[in-house]
Amino acid sequence: MSSKKEPVVSYLRPLLDEIRGELAFKYIAIARQLMEKGYDVISFGAGQPDIPTPDHIIEAAKRSLDRRFTGYTETAGIYKLREAIAEYLNNRYHASVDPDEIIVTTGAKTAIFVVIASYITPGDEVIVIDPAYPAYSEATKLLGGIPKFLPLKFDKKEGFTIDLDKLEKMISSRTKIIVLNNPHNPTGAVFPPKIVDELMRIAERHNVILLSDEIYDNFIYDNAPFKSVSEYPDWKKRAILINGFSKTFSMTGWRLGYIVAHKEAIERMIRVAVNVYSCATSFAQEAAVEALRGDWTPSKRMIQLFQRRRDVIYEELSKVKGFETWKPQGAFYIYPRVRELLNKLNMSVEEFVDYLIDKQRVIILPGTAFSEVSGEDFVRLSYSISEERIKEGIARIREAIEELETIKLRR
Ligand SMILES: Cc1ncc(COP(=O)(O)O)c(C=O)c1O
């Protein structure tokens, strides 16, 4: 065999080596492998609710399949679903949205890709508040754009805050988009309305787009004030909204999200959408109409359950030495700072995470999965598991830290 690399390998864009995968998926695979070997794994890694999709939504999909609703649909999504989405946004946020201002996508992730691909030409800049869900920066890179990271400030009392002065200074003539994700993955922060007001003002002042990913808009606790970009008059002039069904209705595997934007923008973005995925799955779309228009009780119950779990995980983590934990008010993640602990143990965050898997069969994610800037200092835990398992998992983390401290003392 010749040592020359085949074109299928050698022609790959060198850029691909710089693209981060989504580490969460790697850890989901590790958890599954360990469980298959019979280990009692506690995973705080999942970015999805552990509660199954509600029955009435599944029944709607079955009815759709029975009717053989299995062909392509229009790229923007079936009209009835776009109507139901508009109804949801108009009832909840007075968003003034029409069905022809919506594209249904194969998950919010595809929505992110379609938007970035529709606006970014090589050299354009996208400001990403860091840490972040990785798709914003990685889609930007794939398309030749440049992500610019604005680190969130962290204070144990105040939590995670956006430095608006710094953000404004980062805007250049090449900046096209500022990405806001609210409620926020991975920190669980709900950025207050006055911050969203300011971001809208900054977008206007500098003529940039505010891309707002609000996929966790139903996971808000303690009545924390939340403002959607779709609440502003004329918001479609400078903002684009992304949302989806994965989290609110526990429909991650159904792959359904959506983009809401100015009608003319939607008409052009459809050209990207049709060339990437043609349309979202037909029967999943019909089921999504039922999700929005049917009984919300299961979703509401699930969110109440998550609020109780949030209380438990916060209380338990607050007892862990070396974890600086702030109580989040949204999504289903908690993002403690572990810098001092890691310094003391002389470990990187990845080594710490690997140690927990090896010794305690507990999976948490390193902050580096969400950040190129400050990830070394943090870990993310998803509380998408029962209260008992949360308690057991955190007890194991405490045990691991005690072990590590003893090992260090012996050295
Ligand atoms: C902030 C954020 N946006 C988008 C997504 C993608 O969701 P979907 O499953 O709809 O692609 C996720 C999933 O974890 C997320 O956390």
Side-chain angles (χ1 to χ4, degrees):
M1 277 235 292
S2 116
S3 64
K4 197 169 129 252
K5 281 229 173 119
E6 307 298 341
V8 287
V9 178
S10 63
Y11 288 1
L12 284 167
R13 296 168 69 189
L15 175 77
L16 293 188
D17 293 331
E18 289 164 35
I19 300 292
R20 282 184 293 153
E22 204 177 315
L23 261 186
F25 283 96
K26 176 183 139 190
Y27 286 98
I28 288 171
I30 294 175
R32 195 165 291 147
Q33 280 160 13
L34 288 171
M35 280 190 260
E36 274 163 14
K37 285 187 188 152
Y39 290 110
D40 173 25
V41 179
I42 299 183
S43 177
F44 293 99
Q48 59 184 345
D50 54 330
I51 313 293
T53 308
D55 288 345
H56 67 288
I57 301 174
I58 291 180
E59 289 308 320
K62 284 187 190 163
R63 284 196 300 276
S64 186
L65 281 167
D66 285 341
R67 287 194 355 267
R68 304 295 183 267
F69 187 64
T70 54
Y72 293 126
T73 72
E74 47 276 56
T75 297
I78 57 172
Y79 193 76
K80 222 165 134 189
L81 177 55
R82 286 182 285 135
E83 245 178 7
I85 292 167
E87 207 172 84
Y88 166 66
L89 296 171
N90 294 342
N91 287 341
R92 179 155 174 198
Y93 300 120
H94 306 289
S96 314
V97 169
D98 288 330
D100 57 6
E101 293 171 317
I102 297 169
I103 303 176
V104 176
T105 56
T106 48
K109 193 179 252 176
T110 309
I112 295 166
F113 187 84
V114 168
V115 172
I116 305 269
S118 300
Y119 286 93
I120 296 306
T121 55
D124 284 345
E125 295 173 4
V126 175
I127 297 181
V128 177
I129 294 162
D130 179 283
Y133 183 61
Y136 318 122
S137 58
E138 304 319 283
T140 301
K141 286 188 215 161
L142 271 173
L143 291 150
I146 305 164
K148 295 277 177 184
F149 296 103
L150 170 73
L152 276 178
K153 287 194 293 191
F154 177 68
D155 173 286
K156 212 180 151 242
K157 269 211 194 94
E158 302 287 317
F160 294 90
T161 46
I162 301 173
D163 186 336
L164 292 167
D165 290 337
K166 221 176 187 170
L167 182 135
E168 212 165 351
K169 286 193 188 111
M170 285 172 73
I171 299 175
S172 78
S173 58
R174 294 307 304 261
T175 308
K176 286 245 176 91
I177 297 177
I178 298 170
V179 183
L180 169 68
N181 168 217
N182 194 23
H184 186 244
N185 176 12
T187 64
V190 180
F191 300 115
K194 66 174 191 315
I195 293 288
V196 186
D197 291 346
E198 274 304 318
L199 287 169
M200 283 298 267
R201 257 181 239 132
I202 289 173
E204 181 163 5
R205 209 157 41 232
H206 295 274
N207 231 3
V208 296
I209 296 164
L210 185 63
L211 172 60
S212 187
D213 177 348
E214 300 179 7
I215 194 163
Y216 296 99
D217 68 339
N218 286 293
F219 292 82
I220 295 175
Y221 314 121
D222 315 323
N223 294 319
F226 168 76
K227 194 163 180 181
S228 165
V229 292
S230 67
E231 287 179 54
Y232 296 84
D234 289 338
W235 67 274
K236 282 166 266 166
K237 282 188 182 162
R238 61 195 77 272
I240 296 176
L241 174 68
I242 287 177
N243 202 331
F245 295 82
S246 286
K247 317 289 174 175
T248 300
F249 304 105
S250 192
M251 292 175 74
T252 49
W254 299 66
R255 311 309 303 127
L256 279 177
Y258 54 89
I259 305 167
V260 189
H262 193 290
K263 187 167 172 273
E264 279 179 47
I266 287 291
E267 281 165 9
R268 306 272 184 83
M269 280 194 260
I270 281 181
R271 297 183 193 186
V272 177
V274 72
N275 284 297
V276 176
Y277 63 90
S278 296
C279 65
T281 304
S282 52
F283 47 91
Q285 291 187 55
E286 286 205 326
V289 175
E290 174 63 24
L292 286 170
R293 290 195 171 147
D295 185 7
W296 276 63
T297 313
S299 290
K300 289 191 174 146
R301 276 210 199 104
M302 175 176 78
I303 290 153
Q304 283 163 1
L305 177 68
F306 273 106
Q307 170 150 351
R308 290 198 296 276
R309 289 171 173 177
R310 189 277 317 254
D311 292 340
V312 171
I313 198 164
Y314 171 70
E315 206 179 303
E316 294 300 312
L317 277 177
S318 299
K319 295 183 214 152
V320 180
K321 248 190 343 194
F323 274 53
E324 290 179 82
T325 308
W326 171 78
K327 192 175 193 176
Q329 291 187 303
F332 38 81
Y333 311 110
I334 191 161
Y335 197 66
R337 183 161 65 184
V338 290
R339 179 71 267 149
E340 279 179 26
L341 174 71
L342 296 176
N343 280 347
K344 217 163 78 186
L345 299 173
N346 197 19
M347 277 178 133
S348 73
V349 71
E350 282 92 359
E351 285 167 344
F352 179 61
V353 164
D354 287 346
Y355 185 89
L356 290 178
I357 298 173
D358 283 351
K359 297 289 190 237
Q360 293 288 350
R361 312 292 177 204
V362 170
I363 295 183
I364 67 176
L365 300 185
T368 46
F370 306 94
S371 165
E372 294 185 9
V373 182
S374 58
E376 275 294 336
D377 297 352
F378 293 88
V379 288
R380 188 193 82 171
L381 290 87
S382 157
Y383 42 92
S384 192
I385 51 174
S386 72
E387 289 175 29
E388 295 71 44
R389 298 294 277 171
I390 289 173
K391 286 183 184 159
E392 162 76 18
I394 310 279
R396 289 193 202 175
I397 293 173
R398 280 219 300 268
E399 215 170 283
I401 294 172
E402 277 161 25
E403 264 168 26
L404 282 165
E405 284 177 331
T406 329
I407 296 168
K408 191 168 174 271
L409 280 177
R410 270 202 239 114
R411 269 198 215 126

